[in-house]
Amino acid sequence: MFGVVVLGLLLSHAHKVDWAGAWHALQRYSPWLLLAVLGLTTTSHALYGCFDLIGKRHLRHGLPRWRTWAIAVTSYAFNLNLGSLVGGIAMRARLYARAGLDEATVAQIVGLSLATNWLGYGLLAGGLFAAGIVELPRQAHIGQGALRAVGAMMILLALGYLAACAVSRKREWIFRGRHLHLPGARIAMMQLVLSTVNWALMGAAMYVLLGQQVPYAITLSVMLAASIVGVLTPIPAGLGVIEAVYLALLSGEVKQGVLMGAVLAYRALYYLLPLAGGLALYLFLEHRAPSFQAAS
């Protein structure tokens, strides 16, 4: 209900957006530029698929690498468009269960993937926020000093996880009769590197769509801020919310039409187009699931 209310408020302000300018900006994109952005977004989705390969290496489950990667890529496409509960958790749980993995293993795979994603976010966003790269509008009610403090805390959390994986003596816990194992330092470093590169690729895609009019560090900072707001707002794909963040933070740097055109192009290339591929992968995995279970 809260999401419906927020979406209603956004739609009520939609008439203030320069849609004609956005459409003109979309028409001005060259096919080669869109192809380059598609390459960045495809690389990002493919890299996210490697997050679950980290879980496979840590847990040593018996699924083939390609199938593990395909499940992660599929869930990510649904996660972006339908929310983390549907894509990131429910979709993974179903596909892994259909492949024959038990609940405890699936839960640890999901947990490791989520940790990987937000570790890189914390390190990258924390560094940018702590450096004061982005300035929030007055309506945010968060001062620059508070934002820097939050950024420093995010960096410490990411580095704290890395340190715990490296030096912690207790590496196993029992929860409801299930054994949970703390990853080693090498796996933790792999999580941090892959996630950081993935978020950087997402920022690079928007940087190219904006025609490099805004410095990459600022573009990346705004994208990271928009991402967390989109996650915290219960609207699928952060529809309207992400656009509002971009307008609030970059309206003084880029013309509104150009900015909205870039955001709409980004949605099409990073959200909607991969969803079509994710749906095809999902149907393939569902179709092949019985044979794989029989083989196992």
Side-chain angles (χ1 to χ4, degrees):
M1 291 181 64
F2 175 75
V4 171
V5 171
V6 173
L7 186 58
L9 291 172
L10 292 169
L11 290 175
S12 68
H13 287 79
H15 66 278
K16 299 179 181 179
V17 177
D18 182 13
W19 295 112
W23 176 244
H24 182 65
L26 286 171
Q27 291 179 312
R28 292 183 62 185
Y29 284 130
S30 71
W32 293 110
L33 184 142
L34 294 176
L35 188 61
V37 175
L38 180 60
L40 290 171
T41 59
T42 302
T43 303
S44 172
H45 279 259
L47 191 61
Y48 187 93
C50 297
F51 291 5
D52 281 25
L53 293 179
I54 294 176
K56 174 178 171 57
R57 178 172 179 175
H58 176 59
L59 300 170
R60 302 182 186 278
H61 62 72
L63 289 187
R65 287 186 178 86
W66 75 264
R67 187 174 181 84
T68 302
W69 179 87
I71 290 175
V73 171
T74 301
S75 67
Y76 186 48
F78 281 85
N79 177 26
L80 289 172
N81 291 276
L82 300 177
S84 60
L85 290 180
V86 175
I89 298 176
M91 181 69 69
R92 266 196 182 93
R94 174 176 175 80
L95 291 176
Y96 277 122
R98 293 271 288 166
L101 294 186
D102 61 272
E103 294 178 359
T105 301
V106 174
Q108 291 186 74
I109 292 172
V110 172
L112 278 171
S113 179
L114 292 174
T116 301
N117 185 55
W118 294 111
L119 277 170
Y121 179 93
L123 186 63
L124 199 57
L128 293 168
F129 294 164
I133 298 296
V134 63
E135 294 185 8
L136 298 180
R138 294 180 180 179
Q139 295 87 340
H141 302 293
I142 299 177
Q144 198 67 15
L147 185 62
R148 288 176 181 268
V150 169
M153 189 178 301
M154 293 167 70
I155 296 174
L156 290 176
L157 285 173
L159 296 180
Y161 173 81
L162 185 61
C165 291
V167 303
S168 178
R169 294 183 178 181
K170 186 176 182 180
R171 312 198 66 82
E172 182 178 340
W173 292 266
I174 299 177
F175 180 74
R176 294 184 178 181
R178 306 290 186 176
H179 292 266
L180 305 178
H181 301 273
L182 183 70
R186 181 175 296 181
I187 289 180
M189 180 61 72
M190 193 182 305
Q191 289 178 276
L192 206 58
V193 171
L194 287 180
S195 179
T196 302
V197 173
N198 184 48
W199 285 104
L201 285 172
M202 295 165 64
M206 180 56 73
Y207 176 68
V208 174
L209 286 170
L210 286 172
Q212 306 175 22
Q213 297 183 46
V214 181
Y216 174 70
I218 296 179
T219 304
L220 180 59
S221 297
V222 174
M223 188 275 296
L224 293 170
S227 297
I228 194 64
V229 172
V231 168
L232 295 176
T233 306
I235 297 178
L239 186 62
V241 178
I242 294 176
E243 285 81 356
V245 173
Y246 273 99
L247 288 174
L249 297 180
L250 289 181
S251 58
E253 303 286 338
V254 185
K255 292 182 179 179
Q256 188 185 96
V258 174
L259 183 57
M260 285 304 299
V263 175
L264 292 175
Y266 182 79
R267 273 197 178 279
L269 295 172
Y270 200 86
Y271 286 69
L272 298 179
L273 193 58
L275 181 60
L279 180 60
L281 266 178
Y282 171 73
L283 294 175
F284 172 76
L285 291 169
E286 285 282 7
H287 177 70
R288 296 293 298 275
S291 62
F292 275 100
Q293 284 185 322
S296 61

